[in-house]
Amino acid sequence: MSRSTDPAAPGRLRRLTLAAVPPLLVLLVPTILVGLYGDRLPDRAYIESWATHTSYAPTWDGWLSGRRLSLVLYEATLLLPFLSCWRVPQVQRVVVALSFAAIASLTTSTVLELTALLDSPGPVARPAWHLGTEIAVTVVAAVLGYRASGPVPGPPEVTAVPPPHAPAMALGPHQRVLFVTSAWSVRRLVFAAVLGALAVVSAGNGSGAWQGTALLALWALFEAAQARTSLQIDGSGITVRATWLPALRRTAPYSRVRFAEARDRAPEGRYKLDDSSTGWGVVNGKGPVLALSLSDDRWLVYSTREAPTAAALVNGWLSRQRQGGAA
């Protein structure tokens, strides 16, 4: 099925702008605050980790120079995944949410810590309410960023029957399809354990930069939640879900599937429950996979030894529906 336009294009410029502009606050807000209140601040920037290492605290000019480097790093960190997923608006929405969340968190921390130093000769103790405020602002900003990025454009639908070379199981007019299988990923379990250990070490160091520790902990939970997955094929489509996190699921309706095939290995690319430019799914090492060609020129892939049976079921269902024989 051919198409003349990229279905991911609508809203892309908006998402790119929302991802790229917020990091400018990393430099803009501190510069304004230092310019306005420079005569009421101590000689050194007792902010962030410098508050506990006063002998190394930089001047305000030196601290602002470091923020300029941060600006470049944040822009690169956000824009590289955005550009690498140029045709995947789902990932771009997440990048926008992360942009809003990260910059809101860092800016809030800077504002709170800098204003706490007003009329102070040196470092001051950080009030307990600072942390709660930063977390609340971060969560709200992430939600606002996700909503501001706009809706995801709908993919094109497929009406053609699977090609003759695709294996298909003949289905009677009243037969239904149901196929269920599951898989474990030892690699994800090991990776989650490593991330969890790093989070524990980070928390044990007593660092005031809670964002890194929280990110490691959330990442560990996210990886562990995907260690066991399942594939279900029924009348609604093809669903892949994380067994330990039911909310983490994705369904490809039949209207988006061109055909299915069993392969000895997955097509080249990255396949997870999130999106990539090549597709999504679950691939656990080498071995047979069920590969579904989607209407947006990507793949849904799932590792299973029953791939031939699953592919034949999907193609049989597609053929019956698109030939006008669906009940």
Side-chain angles (χ1 to χ4, degrees):
M1 179 178 178
S2 62
R3 64 180 189 273
S4 58
T5 60
D6 181 356
R12 180 188 290 147
L13 180 60
R14 176 183 184 177
R15 295 188 292 271
L16 178 59
T17 301
L18 290 174
V21 170
L24 298 177
L25 297 177
V26 171
L27 182 61
L28 180 61
V29 171
T31 301
I32 293 175
L33 291 176
V34 172
L36 290 175
Y37 302 109
D39 56 343
R40 297 179 57 189
L41 294 170
D43 294 336
R44 299 270 175 181
Y46 301 115
I47 287 183
E48 300 159 354
S49 61
W50 303 116
T52 56
H53 301 282
T54 57
S55 60
Y56 299 103
T59 62
W60 288 105
D61 287 341
W63 179 71
L64 288 175
S65 296
R67 306 296 284 192
R68 296 186 186 98
L69 176 60
S70 298
L71 169 63
V72 175
L73 292 177
Y74 281 120
E75 285 284 8
T77 302
L78 292 167
L79 292 183
L80 286 177
F82 189 103
L83 296 175
S84 66
C85 297
W86 189 246
R87 296 177 57 195
V88 189
Q90 296 91 333
V91 174
Q92 295 168 5
R93 293 190 76 188
V94 174
V95 172
V96 172
L98 290 175
S99 175
F100 274 54
I103 305 312
S105 176
L106 293 169
T107 301
T108 302
S109 298
T110 298
V111 171
L112 293 176
E113 293 176 347
L114 193 147
T115 54
L117 291 174
L118 294 179
D119 302 319
S120 172
V124 296
R126 187 185 190 195
W129 60 269
H130 276 197
L131 179 60
T133 302
E134 292 170 9
I135 294 176
V137 170
T138 300
V139 173
V140 171
V143 174
L144 291 176
Y146 192 80
R147 293 181 64 87
S149 62
V152 174
E157 294 189 353
V158 181
T159 58
V161 298
H165 71 270
M169 185 178 296
L171 297 176
H174 301 291
Q175 286 183 303
R176 296 292 183 267
V177 296
L178 179 62
F179 177 91
V180 179
T181 189
S182 61
W184 282 90
S185 175
V186 177
R187 179 183 62 82
R188 283 195 180 276
L189 284 175
V190 173
F191 190 38
V194 172
L195 291 172
L198 291 175
V200 171
V201 172
S202 178
N205 289 336
S207 172
W210 61 271
Q211 293 91 342
T213 301
L215 182 60
L216 284 172
L218 290 174
W219 192 1
L221 291 174
F222 182 69
E223 291 293 332
Q226 297 182 79
R228 180 175 173 83
T229 59
S230 65
L231 169 76
Q232 179 168 318
I233 301 172
D234 55 25
S236 64
I238 300 89
T239 299
V240 180
R241 63 167 58 86
T243 307
W244 294 343
L245 186 59
L248 192 61
R249 56 177 290 169
R250 297 194 59 183
T251 298
Y254 290 110
S255 60
R256 289 192 56 198
V257 180
R258 293 171 174 165
F259 62 88
E261 59 184 15
R263 292 192 170 196
D264 293 334
R265 62 180 59 191
E268 289 294 327
R270 182 183 68 85
Y271 300 96
K272 297 182 180 180
L273 282 180
D274 58 340
D275 283 285
S276 74
S277 57
T278 49
W280 56 276
V282 175
V283 177
N284 297 319
K286 298 180 179 179
V289 299
L290 170 67
L292 292 94
S293 175
L294 302 179
S295 62
D296 57 3
D297 291 336
R298 296 189 297 148
W299 293 91
L300 189 169
V301 178
Y302 193 88
S303 292
T304 173
R305 296 188 180 278
E306 302 299 325
T309 301
L313 278 173
V314 172
N315 289 327
W317 184 257
L318 291 176
S319 296
R320 196 182 74 175
Q321 280 190 322
R322 294 170 186 173
Q323 288 171 349

